[in-house]
């Protein structure tokens, strides 16, 4: 089993990504200090190997399209699709 690291804001997420070099991150659009969209853009530019699963309650078609356009691998509506996360993660193992 792989290690799991938790970040509660943009800054600590960047620190974890840089120090731990994860294969995958689960990311919300809403972060307390910056937008998860900004973090998604940075990950796509600087850490191309990382798989990104957007897991959010902001599940409108606008955000789904935007996240997929920026480069997330999956867009998950927390209120309707949360239970799909384990299977998605397992598909990359």
């Amino acid at each position: 089993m792989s290690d799991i690291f938790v970040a509660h804001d943009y800054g600590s997420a960047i620190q974890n990504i840089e120090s731990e070099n994860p294969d995958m991150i689960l990311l919300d659009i809403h972060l307390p200090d910056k937008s998860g969209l900004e973090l998604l853009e940075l990950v796509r530019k600087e850490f191309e190997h990382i798989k990104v699963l957007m897991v959010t309650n902001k599940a409108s078609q606008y955000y789904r399209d935007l996240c997929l356009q920026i480069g997330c691998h999956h867009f998950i509506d927390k209120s309707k699709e949360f239970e799909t996360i384990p299977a998605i993660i397992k598909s990359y193992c």
Side-chain angles (χ1 to χ4, degrees):
M1 176 178 256
S2 297
D3 294 332
I4 297 173
F5 303 94
V6 177
H8 297 285
D9 57 36
Y10 184 94
S12 60
I14 293 297
Q15 288 176 341
N16 280 345
I17 290 168
E18 289 176 343
S19 66
E20 303 302 331
N21 194 27
D23 295 318
M24 178 181 294
I25 61 173
L26 279 66
L27 176 61
D28 198 338
I29 291 172
H30 177 73
L31 299 175
D33 54 347
K34 276 192 171 185
S35 169
L37 297 171
E38 292 177 77
L39 184 54
L40 174 60
E41 289 176 335
L42 178 87
V43 169
R44 292 285 39 96
K45 289 178 187 172
E46 303 292 327
F47 307 93
E48 295 178 5
H49 72 281
I50 297 176
K51 305 289 187 266
V52 180
L53 282 66
M54 295 302 292
V55 183
T56 187
N57 281 322
K58 293 188 176 194
S60 69
Q61 192 62 47
Y62 170 79
Y63 282 114
R64 182 177 297 273
D65 292 345
L66 182 58
C67 289
L68 291 169
Q69 179 183 351
I70 294 171
C72 76
H73 295 83
H74 294 275
F75 185 94
I76 300 158
D77 180 343
K78 282 184 192 178
S79 66
K80 297 177 183 172
E81 303 169 314
F82 194 81
E83 69 282 349
T84 66
I85 294 172
I88 294 169
I89 293 171
K90 191 176 264 188
S91 75
Y92 287 104
C93 295

